[in-house]
Amino acid sequence: AGAAARIVAAMEAHVGDADVAEEGCDAIANLAAGGSDGRREQLMDAGAAARIVAAMEVHVGDADVALNGCSAIGKLAFSSTYSEKLFRAGAAKRIVAAMEAHVGDADVAEEGCTAIANLAAGGSDGRREQLMDAGAAARIVAAMEAHVRYPDVVTQGCAAIA
């Protein structure tokens, strides 16, 4: 739990620093991707959801923060238990805002679609509806249109819609 708590604390202490936000989200994504549900639990218990959402809100114009934030959300949301907590923390709204602010960035589009798909997976029908009401459908379609030549974006877009 030491690394998770230190990362979250650094992101909270330096919320206005885009580099800390970018690297903090990246570290959370890497820990969540390489770990078990136990590692994801440590991250969530340390407050990772709130810090990712705050970083994405404060630095909405920064494509690297958007990319790493979407990646972290997508990897944490791989577990339906944590996807519900992320959803309640405002992750869907931040993903939609990131995809809107960086519509021309294929990497943000791909990670955003993946995060939306993972937030929706295993959740109630109401959660999927709330994602779409938050503007996710429009952002997914825009991403697929803007990046039609990028198979990873299109594939993740289809998964998010499915």
Side-chain angles (χ1 to χ4, degrees):
R6 290 190 198 305
I7 293 163
V8 169
M11 291 176 73
E12 186 170 5
H14 303 283
V15 70
D17 188 311
D19 291 333
V20 173
E22 174 190 347
E23 295 302 330
C25 288
D26 190 43
I28 291 168
N30 288 331
L31 286 171
S36 62
D37 273 346
R39 185 170 291 161
R40 288 184 194 93
E41 181 178 10
Q42 290 173 355
L43 288 162
M44 294 298 288
D45 287 349
R51 289 296 97 216
I52 296 164
V53 168
M56 292 177 74
E57 185 171 5
V58 171
H59 305 288
V60 70
D62 189 306
D64 293 325
V65 174
L67 173 65
N68 291 346
C70 287
S71 177
I73 291 167
K75 288 173 177 61
L76 286 169
F78 193 74
S79 163
S80 62
T81 300
Y82 306 126
S83 65
E84 184 65 32
K85 291 179 181 179
L86 286 157
F87 191 84
R88 286 195 312 264
K93 182 178 178 182
R94 290 293 102 217
I95 295 165
V96 168
M99 291 176 73
E100 186 171 4
H102 306 286
V103 69
D105 189 313
D107 293 329
V108 172
E110 179 183 351
E111 290 296 339
C113 287
T114 300
I116 291 167
N118 288 352
L119 281 174
S124 66
D125 290 336
R127 188 180 334 159
R128 181 174 292 281
E129 184 176 300
Q130 289 174 329
L131 279 163
M132 297 308 137
D133 288 348
R139 290 294 100 219
I140 294 164
V141 170
M144 292 173 72
E145 287 175 350
H147 305 290
V148 70
R149 295 180 189 256
Y150 294 88
D152 291 339
V153 174
V154 176
T155 300
Q156 291 306 318
C158 289
I161 291 170

